[in-house]
Amino acid sequence: MDNQMSFIEKQFPVSKISKESYKERKSSQGQTITGLGKWWGRKPLILVRAAILGCLMPSSDNPKADMDIFLKILSMDNEGLLDRKQKTLSAKALFEIAQNNKHFRQYLNDWFELDGARVKIRDGQDKNDIETRLFKTLGYDEKIKHCIRPEQHVALRKDSWNAINHYLGTNAKSLNELIEQLSIKRYGRRIAVGDCFCGGGSIPFEAARMGFDTYASDLNPIAGLLTWASINISGADKKELKEIEDFQNRVYKIVNEEICELGIEHNERGDRALSYLYCVETTCPECGIVVPLLPSLVVGIRAGKVVAKLVPDGNRYNITIHPDANAMEMKEASNGTVTPKGLVCPNCEKMTPISVLRKDRNDENGNSIYGLRQWGKNEFEPRNTDVYRERLYAIRYETTDGNRYYRAPNERDLDNEEKVRKIVAGNMIFWQEKGLVPSMAIESGMETERLFKERGWTHWNHLFSARQLLLLSLFERQVMNETSVLLKAVGILGINKIADFGSKLCRWNPNCDKTEQTFYNQAFNTMMNYGVRSLSMLSTLWFRISEQYPINKQGTVTLNDARSVTSTCHLWITDPPYADAVNYHELSEFFLAWDKKLLIEAFPEWYTDSKRILAVRGDDHFSHTMIEIYSNLADHMPDDGMQVVMFTHSDPAVWAQLALIMWKSGLRVTAAWNIATETDASGLKDGNYVKGTVLLVLRKQTGDDMAFLDEINSDIRAEVRNQISSMLELENKEEPNFSDPDFVLAAYAASLKVLTSYKTIEDLDLDYELNMAINNPTQSSIVKIIEAAKKIAYDCVIPLDFESYLWKDLSNAEKFYIKGLESEKHGNYQNSTYEEFARGFNTVGYSQMMASQKANMARLKTPVEMAGRTISDVPDFENSLLRTVFMGIYTGIKEDENPSRALGYIKNELPDYWDKRDMIKQLLSFIKDGKDIDNMSPHWEQSATMADLLHSLVTNDSI
């Protein structure tokens, strides 16, 4: 084995890791450590595990065998997938799999018995055996639908360990043993993995679970708490877990008894509230009537269609609640009294913009002046003279026998509201002094500015209603009484989860009849109507913790500026804030406002400030801050240590900036891989958003070599071609390892491998280049080198179904179309993919070749859709052989579905038909399988079928 090169520096199973990462992200609440609390942008655990293992596992001169062993360790090989299989397939599903597989159709009658639409396994047949055989035939995507995630699978089968140990020269029986033995073989000791941007704790948690010693730090106390919890709470032993359960039950029981004694969640019939619905109301400046600001009058859908109706009552409206609404009532209720543009008054029907309602204005210097009254520190509700007031308009109750219903608040409900209001009003100052509710002022920032502007809120307690303040203060009091650090941490996290799902920023979701969390995205979103959960609806949050796992607790979690780290680690795995970074420091202050006193008691050595002034931000100082940080990390790793930097961005200029930062920090690039980690269904990211996380693999720059820029261009070309070639050798037609973005990134990495292997390049001033990459990318030599490397990559990346000697004879426009069609075959409909291909193949005006350019629905025109229209904007395509073949296909379809007419057209158009025959066959061969691909068959069926018939004629054609 070559211990100088790691597996991740030679190869990485990006496709499989992407699919597993996507599955993990889609599992939502099923993710391993998300139950601890809210953090933004946690990386998938399988991505972390694979990256760490990839750094530790050595590479050999047999990359195929290396890949097999790597997948085996991660239980992502065929046997591992079989062991991870948890869901059984129905007899009907098995029948359909066998029916669609030509090798197993012969067994249909032996295995299955049909009774109308029902399918049964025949008597005497072993369903498990049939299922195992058919499961093995499925593609990776289908297989993992039936599997637990790899990080949930704890034990590999014995023969897998035999193969792993034989290949790596180890004698491990568990992942932890393997990690220790590989560490000792390579470094002479069990190494430490460090992360100085630990955030939600994914990297330290997974490293500790793999058996490494860990160092974790973050500037932010909430990040520090979540990371500490990921190791100490997720790693709790049975005794500790029992203590946690007892603590949670004890606290909840006390709070529940107090709420019940007050009677503030029960109505006159003894039914208990589940949710309270509130809305803002304001006076219409046009007609003077007080209008409830409701974006929709739909109250509930899931458990029965319920709507609200506005009934005039003097100068205001009563809100009545109506269950069992009909379709017409539901449609009418979908339109409320407020839109993003402003108030739509139901009385005078005039629209008033929100900014006019708030009385916002500009001063003589053009600065914005917010018109809303700014609330005082001890306030928790609007004044009657405020522009925005608040009112309770519906309550969802549950009877003792479990029936649930909505109603408008009656006199008893309003009395309960007043009782809560008086309790909070009478105790607010005392609670703030004791740290039971927030007293912290909201600092101005990118996100927090909205709170001043849109509501006049100046302190964090203003974000919570009276009911929410009362409930949270009761939990705070009980957690303060706890002396155990472990249990106090559990309590703090519980309070934070209740706050996340219990603020005025929680939108009401009528589709699910419940309130959603404050941080459903990375912003403070003020609501015109919001839901307040009762205690019973918050109980699942209080009791929720992550699953328990054996873990190595030999590690450090600290609060620290990454520039001040003093611990040395062999592996630094970091996910830094970057460019358009999330404003973690602002968002986390929402939780810090509740946690300040409790954190000091639990972790007296920690501070309770978000350290805004030190936070890494995407401004002019960003690159210099990052250079300081990564220079420090390079100083705190041995010469044979490694780093993996995770970041998410699609712009080559940003990529170049990060590479220059690393270069300036004394690090050299050895590889880069792109993993799809973002889910499609977030509801927040429309369009061609970035879905990938780049893993940038780095080592310390230890040489003093110097080169000239013109001397290394040929080295870069050779390195790019070598990198692409090695990836193509590993490519699998049935289960692709790589997509085109992976090859492009590999080209970026290959060029930067060469560049950063030198201490200096005499023609380049790195400070100047970094400034250019940030402020004027088109003038940056490094950006130009990266773009050139991308073009080399596109020349090298030949579709698997294409002969290389024919590929080089295609025009750029033909290559653009073929690569786009290959991408569609793999189910990729991102418009950004075609934009990248157009840049890579220098194809201007390609829009004429597109059937759609809608985000995530982009695809090329088929021959039928092109028909006889002239593709005037792309003469390179219009005059090409591929266009002639397309016209032949269209002619054959148009003239009675006759392939002979198609061939006749092509021969008539091509005097050198016989010289072009091999290329024509190749093009038709590539096109014809579109009819057999599910996502393509609807629109490609006709053209692909004619291509298939035409291919047979051309193949059998003779002079």
Side-chain angles (χ1 to χ4, degrees), residues 7-40:
F7 175 87
I8 199 171
E9 295 175 292
K10 292 282 193 72
Q11 56 177 319
F12 202 62
V14 294
S15 177
K16 290 182 173 63
I17 298 294
S18 295
K19 290 168 181 176
E20 297 285 4
S21 296
Y22 183 81
K23 177 181 171 72
E24 185 178 331
R25 276 286 173 88
K26 282 193 72 175
S27 63
S28 185
Q29 299 298 342
Q31 294 180 55
T32 298
I33 58 173
T34 54
L36 293 170
K38 179 65 185 177
W39 193 257
W40 304 267

mmCIF file of all heavy atoms in Angstrom, residues 7-40:
data_model
loop_
_atom_site.group_PDB
_atom_site.id
_atom_site.type_symbol
_atom_site.label_atom_id
_atom_site.label_comp_id
_atom_site.label_asym_id
_atom_site.label_seq_id
_atom_site.Cartn_x
_atom_site.Cartn_y
_atom_site.Cartn_z
ATOM 1 N N PHE A 7 -7.114 7.277 -0.049
ATOM 2 C CA PHE A 7 -8.172 6.883 -0.981
ATOM 3 C C PHE A 7 -8.882 8.102 -1.557
ATOM 4 O O PHE A 7 -9.108 8.199 -2.766
ATOM 5 C CB PHE A 7 -9.176 5.986 -0.240
ATOM 6 C CG PHE A 7 -10.385 5.612 -1.051
ATOM 7 C CD1 PHE A 7 -10.348 4.499 -1.876
ATOM 8 C CD2 PHE A 7 -11.555 6.360 -0.986
ATOM 9 C CE1 PHE A 7 -11.463 4.148 -2.642
ATOM 10 C CE2 PHE A 7 -12.664 6.022 -1.735
ATOM 11 C CZ PHE A 7 -12.613 4.909 -2.563
ATOM 12 N N ILE A 8 -9.224 9.074 -0.705
ATOM 13 C CA ILE A 8 -9.998 10.223 -1.155
ATOM 14 C C ILE A 8 -9.219 11.115 -2.118
ATOM 15 O O ILE A 8 -9.804 11.915 -2.850
ATOM 16 C CB ILE A 8 -10.474 11.050 0.071
ATOM 17 C CG1 ILE A 8 -11.637 11.965 -0.312
ATOM 18 C CG2 ILE A 8 -9.326 11.824 0.706
ATOM 19 C CD1 ILE A 8 -12.299 12.651 0.863
ATOM 20 N N GLU A 9 -7.903 10.971 -2.158
ATOM 21 C CA GLU A 9 -7.095 11.760 -3.084
ATOM 22 C C GLU A 9 -7.040 11.141 -4.467
ATOM 23 O O GLU A 9 -6.642 11.803 -5.424
ATOM 24 C CB GLU A 9 -5.679 11.919 -2.522
ATOM 25 C CG GLU A 9 -5.638 12.737 -1.238
ATOM 26 C CD GLU A 9 -4.258 12.781 -0.629
ATOM 27 O OE1 GLU A 9 -3.779 11.737 -0.150
ATOM 28 O OE2 GLU A 9 -3.656 13.869 -0.626
ATOM 29 N N LYS A 10 -7.460 9.889 -4.562
ATOM 30 C CA LYS A 10 -7.457 9.201 -5.855
ATOM 31 C C LYS A 10 -8.878 9.059 -6.417
ATOM 32 O O LYS A 10 -9.087 9.173 -7.613
ATOM 33 C CB LYS A 10 -6.840 7.804 -5.708
ATOM 34 C CG LYS A 10 -5.354 7.793 -5.393
ATOM 35 C CD LYS A 10 -4.552 8.068 -6.650
ATOM 36 C CE LYS A 10 -3.072 7.751 -6.463
ATOM 37 N NZ LYS A 10 -2.790 6.319 -6.401
ATOM 38 N N GLN A 11 -9.833 8.758 -5.547
ATOM 39 C CA GLN A 11 -11.197 8.499 -5.998
ATOM 40 C C GLN A 11 -12.160 8.656 -4.820
ATOM 41 O O GLN A 11 -11.752 8.706 -3.661
ATOM 42 C CB GLN A 11 -11.307 7.094 -6.587
ATOM 43 C CG GLN A 11 -10.873 5.997 -5.628
ATOM 44 C CD GLN A 11 -11.056 4.610 -6.203
ATOM 45 O OE1 GLN A 11 -12.065 4.329 -6.853
ATOM 46 N NE2 GLN A 11 -10.075 3.733 -6.006
ATOM 47 N N PHE A 12 -13.445 8.715 -5.166
ATOM 48 C CA PHE A 12 -14.482 8.849 -4.150
ATOM 49 C C PHE A 12 -15.800 8.469 -4.813
ATOM 50 O O PHE A 12 -16.080 8.923 -5.918
ATOM 51 C CB PHE A 12 -14.525 10.300 -3.638
ATOM 52 C CG PHE A 12 -15.149 10.464 -2.281
ATOM 53 C CD1 PHE A 12 -14.577 9.851 -1.167
ATOM 54 C CD2 PHE A 12 -16.284 11.237 -2.094
ATOM 55 C CE1 PHE A 12 -15.126 10.009 0.097
ATOM 56 C CE2 PHE A 12 -16.842 11.409 -0.838
ATOM 57 C CZ PHE A 12 -16.257 10.790 0.261
ATOM 58 N N PRO A 13 -16.640 7.639 -4.165
ATOM 59 C CA PRO A 13 -17.897 7.201 -4.801
ATOM 60 C C PRO A 13 -18.973 8.278 -4.701
ATOM 61 O O PRO A 13 -19.937 8.155 -3.946
ATOM 62 C CB PRO A 13 -18.265 5.946 -4.008
ATOM 63 C CG PRO A 13 -17.701 6.189 -2.645
ATOM 64 C CD PRO A 13 -16.430 6.978 -2.862
ATOM 65 N N VAL A 14 -18.807 9.338 -5.479
ATOM 66 C CA VAL A 14 -19.654 10.520 -5.300
ATOM 67 C C VAL A 14 -21.132 10.219 -5.541
ATOM 68 O O VAL A 14 -21.999 10.762 -4.852
ATOM 69 C CB VAL A 14 -19.190 11.684 -6.198
ATOM 70 C CG1 VAL A 14 -17.825 12.180 -5.788
ATOM 71 C CG2 VAL A 14 -19.188 11.281 -7.656
ATOM 72 N N SER A 15 -21.434 9.373 -6.499
ATOM 73 C CA SER A 15 -22.838 9.088 -6.800
ATOM 74 C C SER A 15 -23.520 8.396 -5.625
ATOM 75 O O SER A 15 -24.591 8.808 -5.171
ATOM 76 C CB SER A 15 -22.955 8.234 -8.059
ATOM 77 O OG SER A 15 -24.284 7.897 -8.321
ATOM 78 N N LYS A 16 -22.907 7.350 -5.115
ATOM 79 C CA LYS A 16 -23.514 6.601 -4.007
ATOM 80 C C LYS A 16 -23.568 7.437 -2.727
ATOM 81 O O LYS A 16 -24.564 7.415 -2.004
ATOM 82 C CB LYS A 16 -22.750 5.294 -3.788
ATOM 83 C CG LYS A 16 -22.933 4.265 -4.899
ATOM 84 C CD LYS A 16 -22.202 2.973 -4.602
ATOM 85 C CE LYS A 16 -22.525 1.893 -5.632
ATOM 86 N NZ LYS A 16 -22.099 2.232 -6.988
ATOM 87 N N ILE A 17 -22.510 8.188 -2.447
ATOM 88 C CA ILE A 17 -22.519 9.044 -1.258
ATOM 89 C C ILE A 17 -23.597 10.122 -1.398
ATOM 90 O O ILE A 17 -24.280 10.469 -0.432
ATOM 91 C CB ILE A 17 -21.141 9.697 -1.035
ATOM 92 C CG1 ILE A 17 -20.057 8.638 -0.785
ATOM 93 C CG2 ILE A 17 -21.186 10.682 0.131
ATOM 94 C CD1 ILE A 17 -20.228 7.863 0.501
ATOM 95 N N SER A 18 -23.752 10.642 -2.621
ATOM 96 C CA SER A 18 -24.795 11.647 -2.857
ATOM 97 C C SER A 18 -26.174 11.074 -2.575
ATOM 98 O O SER A 18 -27.016 11.712 -1.925
ATOM 99 C CB SER A 18 -24.735 12.150 -4.310
ATOM 100 O OG SER A 18 -23.541 12.847 -4.560
ATOM 101 N N LYS A 19 -26.409 9.861 -3.059
ATOM 102 C CA LYS A 19 -27.726 9.241 -2.867
ATOM 103 C C LYS A 19 -27.988 8.955 -1.389
ATOM 104 O O LYS A 19 -29.110 9.156 -0.896
ATOM 105 C CB LYS A 19 -27.822 7.970 -3.702
ATOM 106 C CG LYS A 19 -27.899 8.260 -5.199
ATOM 107 C CD LYS A 19 -27.703 7.018 -6.052
ATOM 108 C CE LYS A 19 -27.756 7.388 -7.532
ATOM 109 N NZ LYS A 19 -27.471 6.229 -8.412
ATOM 110 N N GLU A 20 -26.972 8.490 -0.694
ATOM 111 C CA GLU A 20 -27.143 8.211 0.736
ATOM 112 C C GLU A 20 -27.320 9.517 1.515
ATOM 113 O O GLU A 20 -28.095 9.577 2.468
ATOM 114 C CB GLU A 20 -25.935 7.427 1.272
ATOM 115 C CG GLU A 20 -25.746 6.051 0.649
ATOM 116 C CD GLU A 20 -26.746 5.015 1.147
ATOM 117 O OE1 GLU A 20 -27.652 5.366 1.933
ATOM 118 O OE2 GLU A 20 -26.615 3.846 0.734
ATOM 119 N N SER A 21 -26.601 10.566 1.115
ATOM 120 C CA SER A 21 -26.739 11.875 1.771
ATOM 121 C C SER A 21 -28.140 12.429 1.552
ATOM 122 O O SER A 21 -28.764 12.981 2.469
ATOM 123 C CB SER A 21 -25.703 12.861 1.221
ATOM 124 O OG SER A 21 -24.389 12.445 1.519
ATOM 125 N N TYR A 22 -28.635 12.293 0.347
ATOM 126 C CA TYR A 22 -29.972 12.778 0.013
ATOM 127 C C TYR A 22 -31.024 12.039 0.836
ATOM 128 O O TYR A 22 -31.950 12.652 1.383
ATOM 129 C CB TYR A 22 -30.220 12.566 -1.482
ATOM 130 C CG TYR A 22 -31.545 13.081 -1.973
ATOM 131 C CD1 TYR A 22 -31.718 14.425 -2.267
ATOM 132 C CD2 TYR A 22 -32.618 12.230 -2.164
ATOM 133 C CE1 TYR A 22 -32.936 14.907 -2.727
ATOM 134 C CE2 TYR A 22 -33.837 12.698 -2.624
ATOM 135 C CZ TYR A 22 -33.983 14.037 -2.911
ATOM 136 O OH TYR A 22 -35.189 14.506 -3.359
ATOM 137 N N LYS A 23 -30.868 10.724 0.945
ATOM 138 C CA LYS A 23 -31.805 9.925 1.747
ATOM 139 C C LYS A 23 -31.779 10.378 3.209
ATOM 140 O O LYS A 23 -32.826 10.503 3.850
ATOM 141 C CB LYS A 23 -31.444 8.439 1.639
ATOM 142 C CG LYS A 23 -32.326 7.508 2.492
ATOM 143 C CD LYS A 23 -31.875 6.052 2.341
ATOM 144 C CE LYS A 23 -32.580 5.140 3.337
ATOM 145 N NZ LYS A 23 -33.997 4.929 2.998
ATOM 146 N N GLU A 24 -30.584 10.639 3.724
ATOM 147 C CA GLU A 24 -30.454 11.081 5.115
ATOM 148 C C GLU A 24 -31.133 12.428 5.316
ATOM 149 O O GLU A 24 -31.858 12.638 6.293
ATOM 150 C CB GLU A 24 -28.977 11.168 5.501
ATOM 151 C CG GLU A 24 -28.748 11.499 6.955
ATOM 152 C CD GLU A 24 -27.280 11.529 7.338
ATOM 153 O OE1 GLU A 24 -26.475 10.812 6.708
ATOM 154 O OE2 GLU A 24 -26.930 12.274 8.267
ATOM 155 N N ARG A 25 -30.914 13.348 4.376
ATOM 156 C CA ARG A 25 -31.533 14.671 4.491
ATOM 157 C C ARG A 25 -33.054 14.578 4.420
ATOM 158 O O ARG A 25 -33.766 15.291 5.115
ATOM 159 C CB ARG A 25 -31.034 15.572 3.361
ATOM 160 C CG ARG A 25 -29.708 16.251 3.648
ATOM 161 C CD ARG A 25 -29.925 17.381 4.654
ATOM 162 N NE ARG A 25 -28.691 17.958 5.105
ATOM 163 C CZ ARG A 25 -28.072 18.951 4.493
ATOM 164 N NH1 ARG A 25 -28.547 19.444 3.382
ATOM 165 N NH2 ARG A 25 -26.974 19.449 4.987
ATOM 166 N N LYS A 26 -33.565 13.713 3.557
ATOM 167 C CA LYS A 26 -35.011 13.604 3.384
ATOM 168 C C LYS A 26 -35.699 12.988 4.593
ATOM 169 O O LYS A 26 -36.916 13.098 4.739
ATOM 170 C CB LYS A 26 -35.346 12.770 2.137
ATOM 171 C CG LYS A 26 -35.187 13.518 0.828
ATOM 172 C CD LYS A 26 -35.812 12.765 -0.326
ATOM 173 C CE LYS A 26 -37.320 12.798 -0.254
ATOM 174 N NZ LYS A 26 -37.967 12.181 -1.427
ATOM 175 N N SER A 27 -34.926 12.342 5.447
ATOM 176 C CA SER A 27 -35.542 11.668 6.583
ATOM 177 C C SER A 27 -36.038 12.651 7.647
ATOM 178 O O SER A 27 -36.690 12.250 8.600
ATOM 179 C CB SER A 27 -34.560 10.678 7.218
ATOM 180 O OG SER A 27 -33.437 11.360 7.726
ATOM 181 N N SER A 28 -35.719 13.934 7.491
ATOM 182 C CA SER A 28 -36.224 14.992 8.371
ATOM 183 C C SER A 28 -35.993 14.648 9.843
ATOM 184 O O SER A 28 -34.858 14.577 10.294
ATOM 185 C CB SER A 28 -37.705 15.224 8.082
ATOM 186 O OG SER A 28 -38.193 16.316 8.826
ATOM 187 N N GLN A 29 -37.062 14.398 10.604
ATOM 188 C CA GLN A 29 -36.905 14.126 12.031
ATOM 189 C C GLN A 29 -36.183 12.813 12.290
ATOM 190 O O GLN A 29 -35.768 12.540 13.414
ATOM 191 C CB GLN A 29 -38.284 14.097 12.710
ATOM 192 C CG GLN A 29 -39.049 15.412 12.616
ATOM 193 C CD GLN A 29 -38.335 16.564 13.314
ATOM 194 O OE1 GLN A 29 -37.454 16.359 14.136
ATOM 195 N NE2 GLN A 29 -38.704 17.783 12.965
ATOM 196 N N GLY A 30 -36.059 11.972 11.254
ATOM 197 C CA GLY A 30 -35.375 10.700 11.431
ATOM 198 C C GLY A 30 -33.861 10.813 11.420
ATOM 199 O O GLY A 30 -33.163 9.819 11.607
ATOM 200 N N GLN A 31 -33.327 12.018 11.198
ATOM 201 C CA GLN A 31 -31.885 12.181 11.220
ATOM 202 C C GLN A 31 -31.361 11.997 12.646
ATOM 203 O O GLN A 31 -32.050 12.303 13.615
ATOM 204 C CB GLN A 31 -31.498 13.557 10.674
ATOM 205 C CG GLN A 31 -31.833 13.713 9.183
ATOM 206 C CD GLN A 31 -31.440 15.073 8.660
ATOM 207 O OE1 GLN A 31 -30.294 15.486 8.783
ATOM 208 N NE2 GLN A 31 -32.378 15.782 8.070
ATOM 209 N N THR A 32 -30.131 11.527 12.726
ATOM 210 C CA THR A 32 -29.617 11.023 14.000
ATOM 211 C C THR A 32 -29.509 12.071 15.095
ATOM 212 O O THR A 32 -29.963 11.853 16.211
ATOM 213 C CB THR A 32 -28.249 10.352 13.766
ATOM 214 O OG1 THR A 32 -28.448 9.251 12.873
ATOM 215 C CG2 THR A 32 -27.664 9.838 15.063
ATOM 216 N N ILE A 33 -28.928 13.226 14.839
ATOM 217 C CA ILE A 33 -28.717 14.187 15.938
ATOM 218 C C ILE A 33 -29.569 15.446 15.815
ATOM 219 O O ILE A 33 -29.421 16.358 16.623
ATOM 220 C CB ILE A 33 -27.227 14.574 16.081
ATOM 221 C CG1 ILE A 33 -26.670 15.171 14.778
ATOM 222 C CG2 ILE A 33 -26.414 13.385 16.517
ATOM 223 C CD1 ILE A 33 -25.259 15.715 14.932
ATOM 224 N N THR A 34 -30.470 15.505 14.841
ATOM 225 C CA THR A 34 -31.300 16.709 14.728
ATOM 226 C C THR A 34 -32.269 16.840 15.896
ATOM 227 O O THR A 34 -32.751 17.936 16.174
ATOM 228 C CB THR A 34 -32.097 16.713 13.408
ATOM 229 O OG1 THR A 34 -32.828 15.481 13.317
ATOM 230 C CG2 THR A 34 -31.179 16.841 12.214
ATOM 231 N N GLY A 35 -32.566 15.726 16.586
ATOM 232 C CA GLY A 35 -33.453 15.777 17.741
ATOM 233 C C GLY A 35 -32.896 16.591 18.894
ATOM 234 O O GLY A 35 -33.633 16.970 19.816
ATOM 235 N N LEU A 36 -31.606 16.885 18.859
ATOM 236 C CA LEU A 36 -30.995 17.681 19.928
ATOM 237 C C LEU A 36 -31.390 19.146 19.844
ATOM 238 O O LEU A 36 -31.464 19.836 20.866
ATOM 239 C CB LEU A 36 -29.473 17.559 19.873
ATOM 240 C CG LEU A 36 -28.906 16.172 20.199
ATOM 241 C CD1 LEU A 36 -27.423 16.128 19.874
ATOM 242 C CD2 LEU A 36 -29.150 15.832 21.666
ATOM 243 N N GLY A 37 -31.616 19.640 18.649
ATOM 244 C CA GLY A 37 -31.985 21.042 18.532
ATOM 245 C C GLY A 37 -31.675 21.596 17.164
ATOM 246 O O GLY A 37 -31.050 20.950 16.325
ATOM 247 N N LYS A 38 -32.125 22.814 16.943
ATOM 248 C CA LYS A 38 -32.014 23.463 15.646
ATOM 249 C C LYS A 38 -30.616 23.994 15.390
ATOM 250 O O LYS A 38 -30.017 24.653 16.228
ATOM 251 C CB LYS A 38 -33.015 24.629 15.566
ATOM 252 C CG LYS A 38 -32.966 25.394 14.255
ATOM 253 C CD LYS A 38 -33.391 24.535 13.083
ATOM 254 C CE LYS A 38 -33.221 25.261 11.759
ATOM 255 N NZ LYS A 38 -33.574 24.412 10.618
ATOM 256 N N TRP A 39 -30.072 23.629 14.220
ATOM 257 C CA TRP A 39 -28.905 24.312 13.679
ATOM 258 C C TRP A 39 -29.042 24.319 12.168
ATOM 259 O O TRP A 39 -29.784 23.525 11.600
ATOM 260 C CB TRP A 39 -27.589 23.660 14.104
ATOM 261 C CG TRP A 39 -26.406 24.548 13.812
ATOM 262 C CD1 TRP A 39 -25.507 24.435 12.803
ATOM 263 C CD2 TRP A 39 -26.030 25.720 14.542
ATOM 264 N NE1 TRP A 39 -24.590 25.464 12.842
ATOM 265 C CE2 TRP A 39 -24.897 26.271 13.910
ATOM 266 C CE3 TRP A 39 -26.544 26.361 15.658
ATOM 267 C CZ2 TRP A 39 -24.266 27.431 14.362
ATOM 268 C CZ3 TRP A 39 -25.923 27.520 16.106
ATOM 269 C CH2 TRP A 39 -24.794 28.036 15.459
ATOM 270 N N TRP A 40 -28.352 25.240 11.528
ATOM 271 C CA TRP A 40 -28.549 25.465 10.106
ATOM 272 C C TRP A 40 -27.396 24.860 9.316
ATOM 273 O O TRP A 40 -26.230 25.168 9.556
ATOM 274 C CB TRP A 40 -28.634 26.967 9.836
ATOM 275 C CG TRP A 40 -29.712 27.611 10.648
ATOM 276 C CD1 TRP A 40 -30.996 27.826 10.259
ATOM 277 C CD2 TRP A 40 -29.618 28.096 11.994
ATOM 278 N NE1 TRP A 40 -31.706 28.407 11.276
ATOM 279 C CE2 TRP A 40 -30.887 28.585 12.353
ATOM 280 C CE3 TRP A 40 -28.586 28.141 12.926
ATOM 281 C CZ2 TRP A 40 -31.148 29.131 13.604
ATOM 282 C CZ3 TRP A 40 -28.856 28.673 14.174
ATOM 283 C CH2 TRP A 40 -30.117 29.168 14.508
#
